[in-house]
Amino acid sequence: MSPRTLLMICVAVLTLIGVPALPQNLAPPQKLPKIGLALEGGGALGLAHIGIIQWLEEHRVPVSYVAGTSMGGLVGGIYATGHSPAAIRELVEDVDWNDVLRGKTPFRDLSFRRKEDARDYPNSLEFGIRDGIRFPEGFNSGHQVGLILDQIALPYSDIQSFNDLPIPFACVGTDLVSAKEYVFRNGSLAQALRSTMSLPGIFSPVKAKDHIFVDGGLLNNLPVDVAKDMGADLVIAVHLQVKPLDPKQPLSSFGVLGRSVSVVVAANELRSMEQADLLITVPLADYTSTDYLKAEAIVQRGYEAADSKASILSAFSVDEATWREYQAQRDARRRKAPIPEFVEVTGTKPALAKEIRQKLSEVAGKPVDTAKLDGQLTYLTGVGRYSRLGYGMMQKDGQPGLLVIAEEKQYGPPIVRPLIVIDGSDYNNVTFKMGARITFLDLGGFSSEWRNDVILGSERGIASEFYHPMGSGLHWFVAPQGFADVDQVNLYSKDAWIAEYKDRRLGGAFDLGYAFSRNSELRVGYEIANRNLSPRIGSPDVLPTLAGRVGTTRLRYRLVDVDNPVVPRSGINLNLRTQWLDASPGATSGFPLAETRMSIFKPISKPASLLFSAFGGTTFGHDHTGVPVFSLGGPRTLAAYGTNELLTNQYYLFKAGYLRQLAELPPLLGDKLYLFGSYEIAKVYGVPTAPRLPMDGIGAIVVNTIFGPVLVGGSIGDGSHHKFFFSLGRIF
């Protein structure tokens, strides 16, 4: 603390308590010092800054400058744009920070084909093979947090300097190119806030001209020096005190990495604390940087920390008239976003920019509804080609317009979604497979896709589909396909394994379809293949060895209208198919079949939902089909039974279940932990060994991880059927 600053504090305190005039050589300054506020980064812990600001406002302490890093930059930036502490609190607390940190586009906003990807490959992993294998630059593209920052910065899109904000503002980023601290005091406010919050490895870095920006906390997590450089006579620094490391506490590799980064950050914090004129330390040992759900308590800790310094801070309070004048000057610098007269798109191909402009055409000519715009931009990311879409204001020919900034994925296309499946429905015969879905975009025309699936393990195969939309609305499409696979088919009788068959298929198909919406599509087509079903292990008498041509005319309708691809809490899934098989190995003639599979998820409270499923299939009395076309038994249909234990040409199955969220996983590890229970009852025809009404009850724990849903549970059924099972892969 400089002698001049110490003098200012002493004079202010003495004046406050009414001490007579000082000697003439120590005459007090004519006005209180210009106060700078330096706010530290710390994830959820940074919400404590809201409490600090609330105390200062309530006690009429005018802040002349704000400097912040990371979450301190976000809170400080919102404050600097003229928002009250109550407005800051409402804005921050309305955000589902765990969803923001996961960075996933809501399932309902995905296009139908991306919904298929998420259901068929139920994990959060993705990479590209453009110019070799390339992974995303962060777990999170920053789309959701970017929209929050765009909303804050929208009215100030054209300011030349952050000094022109209601409160002059600066924030700190780290430039990976120069390996130096970078102080943002002009340019795009939204980009500055994104940069200061871009946690390395979590959020994708922000690229701007010759810079690559990440979180400023690496080099200056408490920017006291920045506030001083802005012109502050006295800097109030806010330090977020965390729990010290217990040397006896075990650490994982991630823990060691995290603590190592914390040591680097703590070193630059210490230097800044030494430079501060007044330090407010917020005790937050009971909280972590991911405790966003405890925002209210963290904000209160900040308020209490400021109150503990009341005897000093009150020295800088001003009278009511001076405070009103300060507020009036601040409010006079507040801005409203102008009404955009047009929409411009940058950062993507002309055809894609045209599509975005058309989708947002209604924005022009009216005040920007940021909540609606956020939803529209998130919806547009659902096609899977953009890492993020953001917005700001621009000027063109003297007219204001809305500028949409599109950032396409840098690592693709082609986009690769990996797959890992472990099936422990029979823990004495656990099967494993892995693979990937590789998708090429715009190959053969705008919005066309070439999708390829490769599987290795207990199932081996490759499948390829070229999807080509047609017409002005791109609703109609054609989809030629080819496939070759070898599947391991385990057969059971009375819950005991009896044989393993190999099912080999080689063929192709052609579909004509119509996409009604992002939730549903209808297809009609013809499939032709060669099939060979033969025993590999066990009795060859269970099923006949069959080989020959398969010819199928098919009509399929799918509706996917749930809120989550892995563990839905609300909505409906519906699959309808009807087919005419003109040829099938072992069949004495052609025959029809039809099957309906419907599941409804209904929330009954915030943590709990009910499930009701109804499945049914029939060949309309045609029994000489070679191999029965429907199969029951296994994790998804009669879990207490062995996989494929009930082979039939006609069946009905009903399921009622209860799903309850127990806990939320850290965003980098996955989604949530659930308790699941259900009761199943079925009716099968043409199976002499089957009970009259096969049934079972299931109890399981489901953990939705970034690698896919892990299920561990057990089931007890009629007769002697009972089973412990586990799996990694699709559940519903």
Side-chain angles (χ1 to χ4, degrees):
M1 185 181 302
S2 68
R4 179 172 179 270
T5 300
L6 180 60
L7 176 61
M8 288 180 177
I9 295 176
C10 292
V11 169
V13 172
L14 293 173
T15 302
L16 179 71
I17 63 177
V19 173
L22 296 170
Q24 191 160 352
N25 63 339
L26 290 178
Q30 296 301 310
K31 58 182 179 180
L32 290 174
K34 291 184 176 181
I35 296 173
L37 190 60
L39 304 178
E40 186 175 281
L45 304 180
L47 300 177
H49 298 314
I50 301 173
I52 300 286
I53 293 170
Q54 180 182 344
W55 193 97
L56 295 176
E57 290 277 308
E58 289 179 359
H59 292 80
R60 302 192 304 274
V61 177
V63 173
S64 299
Y65 305 97
V66 179
T69 298
S70 197
M71 182 58 80
L74 173 61
V75 173
I78 302 174
Y79 182 46
T81 53
H83 290 77
S84 67
I88 301 173
R89 191 167 185 163
E90 181 180 357
L91 192 154
V92 171
E93 291 183 358
D94 282 348
V95 175
D96 188 331
W97 287 100
N98 284 328
D99 279 351
V100 166
L101 291 175
R102 290 187 185 98
K104 295 166 62 175
T105 301
F107 184 66
R108 283 198 165 102
D109 287 331
L110 298 179
S111 67
F112 188 81
R113 293 183 68 78
R114 300 294 78 81
K115 283 186 170 77
E116 289 183 316
D117 293 343
R119 280 172 53 83
D120 297 341
Y121 290 72
N123 58 63
S124 302
L125 307 177
E126 183 179 277
F127 60 93
I129 50 175
R130 177 190 292 176
D131 301 325
I133 296 177
R134 294 182 60 183
F135 292 91
E137 295 170 326
F139 286 104
N140 188 330
S141 66
H143 171 74
Q144 284 87 350
V145 73
L147 292 178
I148 298 169
L149 305 179
D150 291 339
Q151 176 184 342
I152 296 164
L154 184 65
Y156 304 96
S157 297
D158 61 345
I159 60 173
Q160 299 301 310
S161 167
F162 296 170
N163 285 336
D164 297 331
L165 292 170
I167 302 176
F169 172 71
C171 61
V172 179
T174 299
D175 183 6
L176 296 182
V177 176
S178 65
K180 294 180 180 179
E181 169 188 339
Y182 190 97
V183 179
F184 293 90
R185 295 189 61 182
N186 51 48
S188 167
L189 177 61
Q191 187 178 80
L193 294 175
R194 280 183 59 219
S195 299
T196 194
M197 289 192 64
S198 185
L199 296 170
I202 298 177
F203 290 111
S204 297
V206 177
K207 297 182 179 179
K209 295 183 180 179
D210 298 326
H211 304 282
I212 300 177
F213 295 117
V214 296
D215 193 298
L218 297 175
L219 297 178
N220 192 351
N221 201 41
L222 182 57
V224 172
D225 58 332
V226 174
K228 287 182 179 292
D229 290 342
M230 294 172 73
D233 298 316
L234 180 144
V235 176
I236 300 173
V238 181
H239 172 54
L240 310 173
Q241 187 178 58
V242 298
K243 184 178 180 179
L245 178 64
D246 182 353
K248 298 179 181 179
Q249 180 183 2
L251 288 174
S252 65
S253 56
F254 287 106
V256 172
L257 178 61
R259 293 302 303 188
S260 299
V261 173
S262 296
V263 169
V264 175
V265 172
N268 72 62
E269 289 173 353
L270 182 59
R271 290 194 299 270
S272 295
M273 286 188 282
E274 291 172 346
Q275 297 173 12
D277 299 302
L278 178 60
L279 183 67
I280 301 176
T281 298
V282 187
L284 294 167
D286 297 334
Y287 305 94
T288 70
S289 61
T290 59
D291 277 338
Y292 290 98
L293 296 178
K294 300 176 181 178
E296 185 174 349
I298 293 174
V299 171
Q300 183 61 29
R301 286 291 180 93
Y303 187 92
E304 292 169 357
D307 198 53
S308 70
K309 297 281 187 175
S311 59
I312 299 177
L313 289 173
S314 295
F316 306 108
S317 296
V318 296
D319 58 57
E320 189 65 40
T322 305
W323 179 251
R324 283 198 300 269
E325 181 183 352
Y326 165 77
Q327 286 184 311
Q329 293 174 351
R330 192 170 66 182
D331 291 343
R333 297 156 71 98
R334 291 193 66 176
R335 298 189 183 189
K336 289 185 178 180
I339 296 175
E341 300 299 329
F342 60 90
V343 177
E344 188 64 70
V345 181
T346 185
T348 190
K349 304 177 184 67
L352 297 172
K354 180 181 178 181
E355 180 184 37
I356 295 173
R357 282 196 302 271
Q358 290 174 343
K359 297 288 186 182
L360 300 178
S361 59
E362 63 181 34
V363 172
K366 61 184 71 171
V368 178
D369 183 338
T370 54
K372 183 178 180 181
L373 181 59
D374 288 355
Q376 290 172 312
L377 294 178
T378 298
Y379 182 84
L380 287 168
T381 65
V383 299
R385 65 171 71 243
Y386 304 109
S387 60
R388 70 174 297 270
L389 291 169
Y391 60 91
M393 298 300 298
M394 65 173 294
Q395 291 283 330
K396 183 178 180 181
D397 299 328
Q399 294 291 321
L402 183 73
L403 177 64
V404 176
I405 304 106
E407 295 182 11
E408 295 190 30
K409 293 178 178 177
Q410 297 297 308
Y411 53 89
I415 302 295
V416 181
R417 292 187 66 109
L419 176 70
I420 302 174
V421 175
I422 300 173
D423 183 358
S425 54
D426 180 357
Y427 56 84
N428 292 316
N429 186 23
V430 178
T431 61
F432 172 84
K433 59 184 178 182
M434 62 184 299
R437 171 166 287 176
I438 307 167
T439 303
F440 297 80
L441 301 179
D442 299 329
L443 193 68
F446 176 65
S447 290
S448 295
E449 294 184 12
W450 181 28
R451 188 163 72 186
N452 303 275
D453 295 296
V454 180
I455 301 294
L456 298 172
S458 58
E459 179 184 356
R460 303 183 301 279
I462 184 170
S464 184
E465 178 187 74
F466 178 69
Y467 176 90
H468 182 67
M470 303 176 298
S472 58
L474 300 179
H475 289 290
W476 291 98
F477 64 88
V478 294
Q481 304 140 50
F483 54 86
D485 63 72
V486 181
D487 196 6
Q488 174 182 313
V489 181
N490 290 298
L491 300 178
Y492 292 77
S493 177
K494 296 182 180 179
D495 204 22
W497 179 88
I498 54 175
E500 178 189 312
Y501 275 65
K502 289 294 182 185
D503 191 2
R504 301 174 177 85
R505 297 190 316 141
L506 174 65
F510 185 90
D511 286 339
L512 171 67
Y514 187 84
F516 294 97
S517 66
R518 290 195 171 191
N519 296 331
S520 62
E521 72 169 26
L522 178 71
R523 290 186 177 216
V524 60
Y526 187 79
E527 177 183 314
I528 185 169
N530 183 275
R531 185 181 187 189
N532 185 301
L533 183 68
S534 59
R536 182 174 178 271
I537 303 173
S539 171
D541 302 325
V542 181
L543 287 176
T545 298
L546 299 173
R549 186 179 75 87
V550 178
T552 307
T553 303
R554 61 193 188 185
L555 176 70
R556 295 179 295 167
Y557 174 76
R558 291 189 65 189
L559 171 66
V560 182
D561 189 18
V562 291
D563 63 338
N564 191 285
V566 180
V567 186
R569 294 287 312 281
S570 67
I572 179 172
N573 281 328
L574 176 64
N575 288 280
L576 305 174
R577 64 172 178 137
T578 180
Q579 299 175 232
W580 172 261
L581 283 84
D582 57 73
S584 185
T588 57
S589 64
F591 63 91
L593 70 81
E595 185 179 32
T596 299
R597 301 171 71 91
M598 179 181 68
S599 294
I600 298 173
F601 300 85
K602 178 68 175 177
I604 57 174
S605 66
K606 187 174 181 179
S609 294
L610 296 179
L611 158 69
F612 175 76
S613 296
F615 301 164
T618 181
T619 57
F620 302 97
H622 291 75
D623 294 327
H624 302 290
T625 59
V627 177
V629 296
F630 304 116
S631 169
L632 297 184
R636 297 182 198 167
T637 54
L638 295 175
Y641 283 67
T643 304
N644 304 313
E645 184 170 339
L646 302 176
L647 298 173
T648 179
N649 282 326
Q650 183 166 309
Y651 81 97
Y652 305 97
L653 182 143
F654 300 95
K655 178 188 293 187
Y658 175 78
L659 188 68
R660 185 178 186 86
Q661 178 184 324
L662 299 179
E664 192 155 3
L665 300 181
L668 296 184
L669 298 182
D671 189 9
K672 296 177 177 68
L673 170 70
Y674 299 91
L675 172 68
F676 175 65
S678 70
Y679 172 76
E680 301 174 294
I681 185 169
K683 176 67 176 177
V684 296
Y685 297 84
V687 184
T689 59
R692 186 176 70 87
L693 293 173
M695 64 184 73
D696 66 12
I698 301 169
I701 294 293
V702 180
V703 187
N704 191 6
T705 74
I706 61 171
F707 301 104
V710 176
L711 179 145
V712 179
S715 179
I716 299 176
D718 55 281
S720 60
H721 289 93
H722 61 278
K723 188 169 291 184
F724 165 79
F725 52 85
F726 61 91
S727 68
L728 170 63
R730 185 174 162 188
I731 297 172
F732 296 105

